[in-house]
Amino acid sequence: MKYLLMIVGFCMVHAIHAQTLIIKEKSTEEPLEWVTLGSEHPQAFTITNAKGQADISDFKGSEKIEIRKLGHKTLLTSYAEIEGLDFVIKMDPSNLNLDEVVVSATRWKQTSSDLPMKIASITREDMNLQNPQTAADLLNLSGKVFIQKSQQGGGSPMIRGFATNRLLYAIDGVRMNTAIFRGGNIQNVISLDPFAIENTEVLFGPGTVSYGSDAIGGVMSFQTLVPELSLNDGPLVFGNVNARYSSANNEKTGHFDVNVGWKKWAFVTSFSSFDYDHLRQGRHGPDDYLKPYHVQRIDSTDVVISQDDPLLQIPSGYSQMNFMQKVRFKPSENLDLKYAFHYSETSPYGRYDRHNRIRDKLPRYAEWNYGPQIWQMHHLDLTNQNSTKIYDQLSLRLAAQRFEESRIDRGFNKSDRATNEESVNAYSVNLDLIKALGKHSVNYGVEYVLNAVQSSGKITDISTETTTEGPSRYPISTWQAYGLFINDQYRINQQWLISGGIRYSGFKLKADFDTDYYPLPFTEANVNKDALTGSLGLVYRPESTWVLSTNLSTAFRSPNVDDVGKIFDSEPGAVTVPNPGLQAEYAYNFDIGLAKVIAEKVKLDMTVFYTMLDGAMVRWDYLLNGQDSILYFGEMSKVQAIQNAAKATVYGLQAGVEIQLGGGFNLSSDINFQEGEEELEDGTTSASRHAAPLFGNVRLSYRHEKLSLQAYTNFQSERSAKDLAVEERDKTEIYALDNNGLAYAPSWYTLNFKGKYKLSDFLSVSAGVENITDQRYRPYSSGLSGAGRNFVLAVKASF
């Protein structure tokens, strides 16, 4: 009883001394979530919950508290001033901040103006207005990431001339890239649920020091909903219910999430269901994008069906469900434990670009579909805040993921259906630590990743319904990577800051090949290599209204199972075979950035970058057992393999401007220019496939109390036939044809309008029209046209 009374007494004292701050938006009086508060003396950090509340007991006595939220004016205040305001603060909306709290650079919260690399953030406010259908569409909201689509169930980001396995995806700090991420376009990002994402950041340029292999062009970091604890004796219960309809693909989407939190325990549950019909493209544009037919199986015969609506892209419809469950336990002020389970599954969906291929004036394929794409993750995150000799904060992440995907294809009026099924079990351990040492802030850590790849193939005779074993896409393989890294940030004075980092990485690959179907001259491949990469950056801030930065960095990408061991038809008449002699490719990057706020009305930012890729892995012609062609599924095909080329370069410019016009109006624009060049096998050069044409947007926004409006245009410049990558020039099924009958990517634009109105504290409605002029357009390198005129209606209920 004595000890019980002591515990109760301690809790009462703690409750008495706990102090809750409430932060609201000044114009609407609405509580602001995800506002960050930081103090150096005493050292403290916290974030507001969904009610705009934060416990600031640890800030008592602080003379300088920085309060930040993206889209709002940063506040500098003291604990005494907050106390004088009766612990209620109101923030002014503003997009002109140079200081944002970001985590993607090192996995630790930092101020963006202290970092020498460019980082873009996408908030829930952006998502609530724009209503992106997928996580790929969500990335597109940044205006700085180009999205390619081969089918509606897809979305392959391009950043600074790089894509696919030269970009890294991280979900709550956990690496999502697997050993079968390919060099062609991928669609793994759609496994993420936009409704369950709290904040998205894009780091531009190499991020290898913190993230290891693949982070050459950039890092896309997604932070999902965090279970929020109650700050008082009662439970904290809140949630959201969403419903949305879009006309261009007859979208029917539903979502709910709910948070229940007590002082030490909290739970958050999220569920979403998405259903998309075939996508209708616009009425005005190149006729080359029209495929007014599709194939149906009728009475044991493949029949070409003419469509009543030639604008429908059939097959492109699919559905998806996402589920997330998180549990949080915070037994003390210093220790925080979080467990998360994520599950995502799509229906089968057609790869639309392959359905556009023609042979002998008939469709080449009767079927070319992806099977269900399944992703699940178990993630345990332990965070300890305790000032010791070796760290102030420690984070340990343990993750187990499983990825499943498959490909199903059958030639027109052929009886054999080929099916390839792949799965990856991915395990990772990350230990990250951070320590303040005078003017130094040091973060360091270790990482281990293991991928186990299973792959199988089968051939089904649909006329007899008999199935036999067939060639697999990949060998049975394991891929391992480990790394040790350290970053140091040294503040010379208030104007100058220097940062540097170094990472040692090792990677191993073991693959066992089945030679029953192909006459490979080897039965296994073993790769055991290491890499040393680093970065050095400088930030100069002569005053609070402008920042100059420069960054030198290196990165690498180790060959994965897709590079070393894949067998597939890369293009009509060609087959890619394994190459066990692959080496890692290395990138060397330099960029300079400038950001300036003028008269508290205008914000300018610009970054110039140059990246050289040495030993770039590209697909070239190859000899297999001395033969330049082999028989592949009944067709004599030219042999190719992924090989280390001599060099590739990318350079470009990213620029943005934001202008506060007054009266609630704001004008902003982003523009992105990149040029890429890679060496070909014969010594000549070609444009880089993943360097998108110039693209960007212009947005005019209006906000007043509960109303938000935005009129905007998205655009892309032309990529002419002579400037098209050599490997793209024969893909006439996805490009338009110029006057000479050559493939090219026409320029395009869309005009769009969105609005959101908060009817009450409980209910809000958003609506809009995308592609108002009904343009028929196709983003560069895509096999699917963008949506035609699209009416969007969404309702959100919050409780």
Side-chain angles (χ1 to χ4, degrees):
M1 179 63 70
K2 173 183 177 182
Y3 295 109
L4 178 60
L5 290 173
M6 290 175 62
I7 293 171
V8 172
F10 172 80
C11 293
M12 290 177 64
V13 169
H14 180 76
I16 291 171
H17 287 283
Q19 182 58 62
T20 300
L21 169 69
I22 299 175
I23 300 182
K24 301 178 179 181
E25 183 166 291
K26 192 172 185 178
S27 59
T28 65
E29 293 284 326
E30 293 182 12
L32 291 177
E33 185 180 12
W34 274 74
V35 180
T36 62
L37 297 92
S39 167
E40 292 186 2
H41 305 288
Q43 193 171 57
F45 183 88
T46 190
I47 300 174
T48 58
N49 62 21
K51 305 294 186 181
Q53 301 171 338
D55 182 358
I56 61 168
S57 302
D58 294 340
F59 291 75
K60 191 166 185 178
S62 176
E63 296 182 357
K64 183 181 178 182
I65 300 175
E66 297 182 348
I67 303 176
R68 295 190 175 98
K69 179 173 174 61
L70 187 64
H72 292 77
K73 186 178 294 185
T74 297
L75 296 177
L76 296 178
T77 186
S78 68
Y79 188 91
E81 290 174 339
I82 294 175
E83 192 173 24
L85 294 170
D86 202 20
F87 297 97
V88 176
I89 285 181
K90 299 177 182 180
M91 299 185 72
D92 288 312
S94 174
N95 291 317
L96 304 184
N97 289 333
L98 298 179
D99 304 303
E100 299 170 11
V101 175
V102 295
V103 299
S104 56
T106 62
R107 294 193 182 94
W108 294 107
K109 294 180 175 68
Q110 294 177 284
T111 304
S112 58
S113 60
D114 289 343
L115 299 170
M117 65 282 289
K118 182 177 180 63
I119 296 177
S121 298
I122 306 168
T123 67
R124 280 184 78 82
E125 287 83 357
D126 299 324
M127 293 186 278
N128 289 335
L129 177 63
Q130 293 294 334
N131 282 294
Q133 293 188 350
T134 69
D137 298 330
L138 167 63
L139 288 166
N140 197 41
L141 298 184
S142 69
K144 303 173 180 67
V145 178
F146 190 87
I147 301 297
Q148 180 276 352
K149 290 188 179 183
S150 296
Q151 64 280 330
Q152 190 174 197
S156 188
M158 297 182 182
I159 299 174
R160 288 192 175 184
F162 296 100
T164 61
N165 53 20
R166 290 180 181 135
L167 302 175
L168 190 128
Y169 303 79
I171 177 92
D172 292 330
V174 175
R175 175 191 182 91
M176 199 177 178
N177 293 42
T178 73
I180 62 171
F181 266 36
R182 57 189 182 272
N185 300 305
I186 59 176
Q187 61 270 8
N188 300 73
V189 72
I190 70 167
S191 292
L192 304 180
D193 178 5
F195 288 107
I197 294 173
E198 188 70 56
N199 189 56
T200 303
E201 295 174 13
V202 182
L203 182 153
F204 297 90
T208 290
V209 171
S210 294
Y211 292 93
S213 177
D214 303 359
I216 291 178
V219 175
M220 291 157 285
S221 175
F222 303 89
Q223 292 95 51
T224 59
L225 299 173
V226 176
E228 296 185 8
L229 301 166
S230 175
L231 299 179
N232 52 46
D233 293 331
L236 175 66
V237 180
F238 63 90
N240 302 282
V241 178
N242 300 70
R244 184 173 65 219
Y245 174 79
S246 300
S247 63
N249 56 0
N250 197 27
E251 178 204 11
K252 297 174 286 293
T253 287
H255 164 81
F256 79 84
D257 63 77
V258 60
N259 183 104
V260 180
W262 292 269
K263 284 191 173 182
K264 294 183 182 295
W265 288 90
F267 304 84
V268 65
T269 303
S270 172
F271 177 81
S272 299
S273 174
F274 308 87
D275 185 80
Y276 309 106
D277 205 341
H278 305 301
L279 182 64
R280 178 192 178 277
Q281 59 187 320
R283 191 173 301 277
H284 309 294
D287 289 342
D288 301 303
Y289 295 158
L290 295 176
K291 183 180 74 70
Y293 63 87
H294 61 275
V295 176
Q296 284 187 9
R297 187 79 172 169
I298 302 176
D299 295 330
S300 301
T301 302
D302 292 327
V303 179
V304 179
I305 303 296
S306 295
Q307 297 174 190
D308 294 333
D309 184 354
L311 301 181
L312 279 181
Q313 299 175 94
I314 302 176
S316 62
Y318 78 105
S319 60
Q320 180 172 330
M321 64 81 67
N322 283 75
F323 174 76
M324 182 186 76
Q325 179 63 58
K326 285 191 175 184
V327 180
R328 182 181 182 185
F329 175 52
K330 192 172 183 180
S332 68
E333 287 299 312
N334 295 331
L335 188 62
D336 200 348
L337 288 164
K338 303 184 191 77
Y339 165 76
F341 172 70
H342 299 262
Y343 184 85
S344 171
E345 181 174 355
T346 72
S347 67
Y349 51 93
R351 180 166 171 177
Y352 186 76
D353 62 338
R354 292 297 174 96
H355 285 272
N356 284 340
R357 291 185 176 179
I358 300 294
R359 183 162 55 187
D360 298 328
K361 298 183 179 180
L362 288 171
R364 179 173 178 177
Y365 296 104
E367 304 174 41
W368 211 118
N369 303 314
Y370 287 109
Q373 178 173 294
I374 299 173
W375 168 67
Q376 60 177 301
M377 179 170 74
H378 298 272
H379 176 204
L380 182 64
D381 184 349
L382 180 153
T383 302
N384 178 247
Q385 299 187 46
N386 189 16
S387 185
T388 70
K389 291 183 178 180
I390 62 172
Y391 70 87
D392 294 326
Q393 295 181 73
L394 174 151
S395 176
L396 175 65
R397 296 180 180 88
L398 307 175
Q401 302 179 75
R402 181 172 175 83
F403 302 80
E404 297 179 28
E405 58 186 55
S406 57
R407 295 160 177 80
I408 305 101
D409 69 88
R410 182 175 62 83
F412 187 76
N413 273 327
K414 302 292 185 181
S415 60
D416 286 348
R417 176 192 292 132
T419 301
N420 287 104
E421 298 177 338
E422 286 78 48
S423 66
V424 180
N425 289 325
Y427 308 95
S428 61
V429 180
N430 290 88
L431 178 63
D432 295 278
L433 306 98
I434 189 168
K435 178 67 179 175
L437 298 170
K439 293 185 176 182
H440 294 266
S441 177
V442 181
N443 69 83
Y444 58 101
V446 295
E447 178 183 52
Y448 175 74
V449 179
L450 169 64
N451 283 192
V453 178
Q454 296 287 323
S455 182
S456 64
K458 62 183 179 181
I459 298 175
T460 302
D461 187 329
I462 63 172
S463 62
T464 62
E465 296 186 354
T466 58
T467 299
T468 58
E469 187 177 347
S472 64
R473 179 178 173 89
Y474 297 113
I476 305 302
S477 313
T478 57
W479 182 87
Q480 301 178 69
Y482 57 90
L484 302 92
F485 67 90
I486 184 169
N487 289 292
D488 182 23
Q489 190 178 80
Y490 175 60
R491 183 173 296 280
I492 302 171
N493 53 42
Q494 290 299 314
Q495 287 76 41
W496 292 93
L497 185 146
I498 188 169
S499 62
I502 190 168
R503 181 187 181 104
Y504 171 78
S505 301
F507 50 91
K508 297 179 181 180
L509 186 152
K510 186 179 187 305
D512 296 312
F513 294 95
D514 186 348
T515 57
D516 291 344
Y517 298 97
Y518 303 108
L520 300 175
F522 43 81
T523 59
E524 65 176 28
N526 289 280
V527 177
N528 189 352
K529 301 288 184 181
D530 56 12
L532 188 67
T533 53
S535 64
L536 181 64
L538 185 67
V539 176
Y540 174 55
R541 189 166 188 173
E543 54 188 52
S544 62
T545 58
W546 70 291
V547 178
L548 271 169
S549 61
T550 185
N551 192 41
L552 287 166
S553 53
T554 62
F556 81 100
R557 186 174 76 84
S558 64
N560 63 19
V561 175
D562 185 87
D563 300 312
V564 172
K566 179 173 60 178
I567 300 176
F568 80 115
D569 56 332
S570 53
E571 58 189 55
V575 59
T576 296
V577 300
N579 176 11
L582 270 179
Q583 305 288 325
E585 58 186 13
Y586 290 86
Y588 305 89
N589 178 79
F590 172 70
D591 52 50
I592 299 176
L594 166 68
K596 172 68 175 172
V597 174
I598 303 171
E600 296 188 354
K601 294 292 184 182
V602 179
K603 177 184 174 183
L604 303 171
D605 71 86
M606 181 179 66
T607 303
V608 179
F609 64 90
Y610 177 87
T611 305
M612 182 182 75
L613 198 60
D614 190 27
M617 287 183 260
V618 294
R619 190 170 59 242
W620 280 358
D621 292 346
Y622 192 67
L623 293 178
L624 185 64
N625 288 334
Q627 297 180 309
D628 62 3
S629 299
I630 62 172
L631 197 66
Y632 182 75
F633 283 100
E635 181 178 352
M636 187 59 65
S637 300
K638 178 174 62 175
V639 175
Q640 298 180 327
I642 305 296
Q643 301 171 61
N644 293 105
K647 186 174 67 173
T649 58
V650 182
Y651 63 90
L653 166 72
Q654 294 175 290
V657 61
E658 295 184 38
I659 306 172
Q660 287 191 349
L661 301 175
F665 285 94
N666 181 277
L667 180 68
S668 65
S669 179
D670 286 290
I671 193 165
N672 305 269
F673 166 79
Q674 47 275 311
E675 283 287 339
E677 185 178 81
E678 62 185 42
E679 187 174 352
L680 299 179
E681 191 171 9
D682 60 4
T684 61
T685 59
S686 165
S688 172
R689 171 188 177 186
H690 291 136
L694 182 143
F695 71 95
N697 62 41
V698 179
R699 295 176 175 174
L700 177 64
S701 304
Y702 173 76
R703 287 189 63 183
H704 179 67
E705 296 182 350
K706 299 180 179 182
L707 177 66
S708 297
L709 301 173
Q710 188 175 96
Y712 63 99
T713 178
N714 296 326
F715 58 86
Q716 173 207 292
S717 70
E718 178 182 305
R719 178 63 54 85
S720 66
K722 67 180 179 63
D723 293 328
L724 205 61
V726 170
E727 63 179 306
E728 295 290 284
R729 293 177 183 177
D730 292 333
K731 298 178 182 178
T732 54
E733 73 272 15
I734 68 173
Y735 290 102
L737 302 180
D738 63 15
N739 293 332
N740 297 316
L742 302 176
Y744 83 111
S747 61
W748 56 263
Y749 72 93
T750 62
L751 300 178
N752 316 272
F753 183 79
K754 296 285 178 66
K756 182 169 85 78
Y757 186 74
K758 192 171 180 65
L759 297 170
S760 67
D761 292 339
F762 173 76
L763 191 64
S764 64
V765 61
S766 57
V769 186
E770 299 172 339
N771 194 3
I772 296 171
T773 57
D774 209 17
Q775 298 296 303
R776 184 184 308 139
Y777 71 98
R778 185 167 290 183
Y780 165 74
S781 192
S782 295
L784 182 85
S785 298
R789 186 181 295 118
N790 184 33
F791 296 93
V792 182
L793 178 64
V795 177
K796 178 180 178 180
S798 301
F799 58 91

